Amino acid sequence: MSSPYPGVSTLHFRRCFPQPPALPLPLLTRAVLLGCAAGGSAFAAADLPAPAGETQVVEIRASKDDERSAAGTSARALPGTVTTITAEDLATLNLGRDISNIFRRVPGVVANNIDQGDTGNGFRMRGFATQGTHGADTAISIDGVPQNIPSSQGGAGHGPAFLEWMTADMIDAIDVVKGPVSALYGDQNRAGSVIITTREGGAATPSSAALTLESHGGRRGSLTLSSEYGNVRSLLVADRYRSDGFRHGGGNDRENLFWKLSTTIGDGIYSLRASYYRSDYAGAGYLSLPAMQAGLDPHSVQYNLPGFGDAHRTSLVFNRAPARGQAGWFATLYAEDFERSRAITTSTTQHTFGYDERTIGGARAGNTWVIGESAVLTVGADTRKDRGDALRRQYHLRQPTANYVNNQHLDLLAYGAFVQGQYRVLPTLKLHAGARYDRFDYEIANRKLPAASTAYRGSVVTPKYGAIWTVLPDLELFANVAQGLRSPAAEQISSSGSLGPLGAKSGRINPDIDPSKVRSHDAGFNARVAGGWRISGALYAIENDDEIVNSAPDVFVSSGRTTRRGLEMDVRYQPTSTFSAYLSYGRILRARLDNPAPGAGALLSVPAHTWKAGAQHRSAAGAGKLAVNGDVYVSARNPYYTGTPPVQRDMPTFVRYDLKATYDIGKFQGALSATLQPHQFASDIAYGTAAGLVVSTVPRAQGGASLRYFF
């Protein structure tokens, strides 16, 4: 992944960490720094030319400092913390079975998958964990298409993001924006936004075929066909992945197909892409940590009854973007068929079966004006129509029963308008301002409690302000105050009561819920230091004045508030083009409900400490080139509550090491990778229950090998 700071490539790191996993945090930090410093001394070799045809190997790019200080529309021009991940960065990561690993090096981000199949992509940052591990509270878009699914019942809650339809071969760049500072993104933009753009065919992307084998039955075949016919660039990516679970009863069978056509006409780049995704999976559920400590096999299946699910997703997306510079009009038009199910084990005989079947369509359009070299203004609008069924049903011995948790037909219309501008009042000072208006027009047919069927109308305005001040050529300060939002879930508007059949009497409507709105304050700096060092940091404070809470059975109200405060630090070191290293630290100082329900805990379950570090070294090796990468990730002091009345405890510290070596020679690229999670009963995902902590165990060691041929 690239650094969030201009001109720093973060791909050259990763081989510094054979330290014992059980070291306490201060000793671990010291070991990481000493190891990277020693690596920098040992590998300070002369710059090495890249062998011909090695397009997958990272090269040092020109500085992007001007993109921060100039008036612009890109994510990097925002007055906040932004991490950019490139396609080359992704080639150095251990992605394995989980596309969530694309965020593995982003400072302060907890990204993971619960290894229960294709159940959504874990993405938590800045103390947001409202919807568990499935990416809610962060607005995620791909080529201008929002990925968060409102009111999902496929086992993931309100606003999860499902990115399993993508593979790394499809991705050109990812921008992770901390905080809701961008006005271009609406619903779920509370912790921030993630903007993903896909690759084009032609000279920019080589054709290749690859085969990968991994531990626990992982096997993948992928094909990338890139070509150019006249003025039309074509990119076709096909991927087939199968794996057995580390746990008994688990497994996944996944297919991905992606085709994108692009062309330049006049002053615009036009593209049309289609994608198809299918997945069938089984998950082994959660296990009690006290039971495993007493002797339960960590490979076991929860209640000896695996969960199961499948997914199908087909989409068609048209895009238009300016071909030269920022000025000009842009447009996105998309249609999607979305179907997903997930059955979660609840006892030795029962599952709760969640199901979504949606038809989704939308559009986005606007224009950007560039005024000399000092100002830029963007005005636009977007809309999204989401129509279909969302339900959760009780299954007995894998067969459906007549009892439902909920069953709703949804007709969800959302639309918004946005304006955003930047003005460079001085050569060293840039001001930023923007605002969004979002409206939600819903029609909800409640099949379980028909009396609760209702319409809903709600709207919200979220302004944004900020500034970047270049104090010195090598020191930048930034600050912003921004509001973000989340729409109400259909279940909060039209409650479904307790478990029971369809067509029951009564029903509760909560029509007065407003969209949940947060106010975020950021202040930070980016600094370059002699000798190839870059240091960045930020402080943030987030207040949610109207968090939607369940105040009584079936009663949801807008009630405040929750608060989140924290800091992030990031250090990058790149003395030569052959070696670089990084160390980041995220500290959540406060993440709590300020008005918890009686008898409930106030702390949100997010780790107080998140450490990430790594290094990469490149060198000539025989007739080819070798790149060796190493990363370490540590999360600690994650609170949870157990017992009755609840007692606060902390989850065990989680440590993960990643190693990857890539060797390029001619048209071939080979790679070996290993992931070590050495703590017993290792898990980055856990939940507190009255009976104790339950976890989704992962293997303590796993490895993989791949061979790619470019043509």
Side-chain angles (χ1 to χ4, degrees):
M1 293 184 178
S2 295
S3 162
Y5 320 119
V8 178
S9 173
T10 61
L11 302 185
H12 314 307
F13 346 102
R14 322 185 350 304
R15 184 42 154 162
C16 306
F17 313 106
Q19 276 72 18
L23 285 175
L25 288 176
L27 291 180
L28 175 63
T29 307
R30 216 170 294 141
V32 167
L33 288 172
L34 290 173
C36 290
S41 173
F43 296 127
D47 291 358
L48 297 168
E54 294 184 14
T55 54
Q56 293 286 334
V57 177
V58 177
E59 300 300 335
I60 302 301
R61 292 170 174 77
S63 171
K64 293 186 177 180
D65 289 354
D66 290 343
E67 195 173 356
R68 291 286 292 173
S69 59
T73 59
S74 71
R76 292 191 57 80
L78 294 168
T81 302
V82 182
T83 301
T84 300
I85 309 161
T86 68
E88 291 84 356
D89 298 341
L90 298 178
T92 70
L93 283 163
N94 293 352
L95 296 183
R97 66 190 68 194
D98 184 5
I99 193 67
S100 299
N101 284 321
I102 61 179
F103 304 110
R104 180 59 59 184
R105 296 191 194 123
V106 180
V109 167
V110 179
N112 42 38
N113 184 281
I114 57 178
D115 200 25
Q116 306 287 346
D118 286 358
T119 59
N121 300 101
F123 191 93
R124 309 189 203 184
M125 63 183 184
R126 299 207 159 182
F128 280 87
T130 309
Q131 300 298 332
T133 63
H134 303 281
D137 295 317
T138 301
I140 300 177
S141 69
I142 302 176
D143 293 336
V145 180
Q147 299 297 300
N148 304 86
I149 305 299
S151 303
S152 170
Q153 295 299 336
H158 180 48
F162 302 98
L163 304 182
E164 299 98 339
W165 68 269
M166 302 195 78
T167 69
D169 292 330
M170 305 173 189
I171 299 173
D172 181 59
I174 305 167
D175 288 310
V176 180
V177 180
K178 303 288 185 64
V181 63
S182 176
L184 305 185
Y185 307 97
D187 196 12
Q188 302 294 332
N189 189 7
R190 303 203 300 171
S193 56
V194 175
I195 305 103
I196 302 175
T197 55
T198 59
R199 304 181 78 166
E200 287 191 353
T205 305
S207 296
S208 67
L211 177 66
T212 302
L213 299 176
E214 300 171 344
S215 302
H216 312 294
R219 55 265 196 209
R220 164 172 271 138
S222 58
L223 176 67
T224 301
L225 295 177
S226 176
S227 56
E228 196 161 358
Y229 305 95
N231 196 35
V232 177
R233 304 175 292 277
S234 172
L235 178 64
L236 176 69
V237 178
D239 188 276
R240 178 66 187 273
Y241 180 75
R242 299 187 67 182
S243 69
D244 304 322
F246 161 70
R247 309 261 303 280
H248 303 316
N252 204 347
D253 186 346
R254 180 194 301 154
E255 296 174 354
N256 302 73
L257 184 64
F258 172 96
W259 189 23
K260 183 176 180 179
L261 299 173
S262 309
T263 187
T264 302
I265 302 175
D267 60 354
I269 299 175
Y270 297 82
S271 67
L272 181 67
R273 68 165 171 86
S275 63
Y276 168 77
Y277 155 79
R278 179 204 62 82
S279 177
D280 291 286
Y281 61 86
Y286 291 85
L287 297 176
S288 164
L289 181 59
M292 287 190 290
Q293 291 170 336
L296 178 67
D297 183 357
H299 295 83
S300 299
V301 176
Q302 184 180 14
Y303 299 122
N304 293 316
L305 185 67
F308 60 90
D310 64 4
H312 299 80
R313 193 169 187 175
T314 306
S315 63
L316 186 66
V317 180
F318 166 81
N319 267 294
R320 196 272 185 191
R324 291 179 291 275
Q326 307 172 96
W329 63 277
F330 56 89
T332 301
L333 185 66
Y334 60 92
E336 183 170 58
D337 182 65
F338 178 92
E339 184 178 6
R340 173 175 292 272
S341 70
R342 183 188 179 196
I344 302 173
T345 304
T346 57
S347 74
T348 57
T349 61
Q350 292 181 337
H351 291 94
T352 296
F353 178 82
Y355 179 70
D356 292 307
E357 185 178 15
R358 310 286 190 86
T359 300
I360 303 170
R364 176 186 182 89
N367 194 83
T368 297
W369 294 270
V370 176
I371 305 165
E373 297 182 356
S374 61
V376 62
L377 177 67
T378 299
V379 177
D382 51 42
T383 185
R384 172 173 167 153
K385 179 80 166 180
D386 185 328
R387 193 171 188 271
D389 296 326
L391 62 89
R392 278 186 292 156
R393 187 177 190 177
Q394 189 177 71
Y395 271 47
H396 181 75
L397 297 177
R398 300 179 69 94
Q399 296 299 313
T401 72
N403 289 325
Y404 289 80
V405 178
N406 62 282
N407 188 325
Q408 296 180 335
H409 178 76
L410 306 177
D411 193 344
L412 311 179
L413 174 63
Y415 48 91
F418 53 87
V419 58
Q420 181 165 284
Q422 294 187 346
Y423 178 49
R424 199 170 179 178
V425 294
L426 296 170
T428 59
L429 179 62
K430 181 178 71 173
L431 302 181
H432 168 92
R436 280 193 65 93
Y437 170 80
D438 287 276
R439 182 172 175 84
F440 305 96
D441 289 352
Y442 293 172
E443 300 290 338
I444 303 171
N446 193 326
R447 299 187 180 106
K448 184 169 179 292
L449 297 179
S453 298
T454 185
Y456 172 79
R457 305 291 182 264
S459 62
V460 62
V461 175
T462 49
K464 336 271 183 174
Y465 309 97
I468 295 178
W469 179 26
T470 307
V471 182
L472 298 170
D474 293 330
L475 176 61
E476 165 198 299
L477 304 180
F478 64 84
N480 68 70
V481 178
Q483 293 185 5
L485 72 125
R486 189 190 74 186
S487 61
E491 271 293 282
Q492 294 167 338
I493 299 167
S494 173
S495 299
S496 294
S498 57
L499 185 70
L502 300 182
K505 301 295 183 181
S506 74
R508 173 83 188 197
I509 300 171
N510 303 298
D512 298 325
I513 298 178
D514 292 324
S516 181
K517 189 162 62 172
V518 303
R519 177 180 286 104
S520 174
H521 300 76
D522 272 37
F525 72 94
N526 295 319
R528 290 181 297 178
V529 184
W533 292 88
R534 294 201 174 213
I535 305 173
S536 296
L539 292 167
Y540 61 87
I542 304 170
E543 295 180 354
N544 192 331
D545 293 332
D546 51 5
E547 183 83 51
I548 298 171
V549 298
N550 189 352
S551 63
D554 295 332
V555 179
F556 292 87
V557 296
S558 297
S559 176
R561 67 184 189 219
T562 60
T563 59
R564 296 159 175 90
R565 298 180 191 135
L567 61 88
E568 294 168 355
M569 293 292 297
D570 196 16
V571 179
R572 308 278 162 164
Y573 176 58
Q574 187 174 1
T576 71
S577 62
T578 62
F579 176 82
S580 63
Y582 73 96
L583 171 66
S584 69
Y585 172 60
R587 174 70 164 98
I588 294 178
L589 302 170
R590 180 184 177 94
R592 63 180 296 129
L593 301 167
D594 292 341
N595 58 339
L603 297 181
L604 301 175
S605 184
V606 291
H609 304 281
T610 303
W611 294 88
K612 299 185 179 186
Q616 184 192 63
H617 173 63
R618 297 188 305 138
S619 64
K625 184 159 64 174
L626 177 68
V628 182
N629 307 272
D631 293 274
V632 62
Y633 163 73
V634 179
S635 63
R637 278 195 54 199
N638 193 340
Y640 71 97
Y641 294 90
T642 186
T644 305
V647 176
Q648 180 192 334
R649 295 181 180 174
D650 286 338
M651 297 179 189
T653 296
F654 179 77
V655 180
R656 168 173 165 155
Y657 298 95
D658 285 284
L659 302 172
K660 187 171 184 179
T662 304
Y663 185 69
D664 287 88
I665 181 168
K667 294 184 176 181
F668 289 91
Q669 182 185 76
L672 296 175
S673 63
T675 297
L676 308 176
Q677 298 163 118
H679 284 189
Q680 192 176 23
F681 315 128
S683 178
D684 200 18
I685 294 298
Y687 294 98
T689 69
L693 193 68
V694 295
V695 302
S696 176
T697 55
V698 293
R700 299 177 69 176
Q702 53 189 320
S706 66
L707 179 65
R708 184 179 292 267
Y709 174 70
F710 295 96
F711 56 90

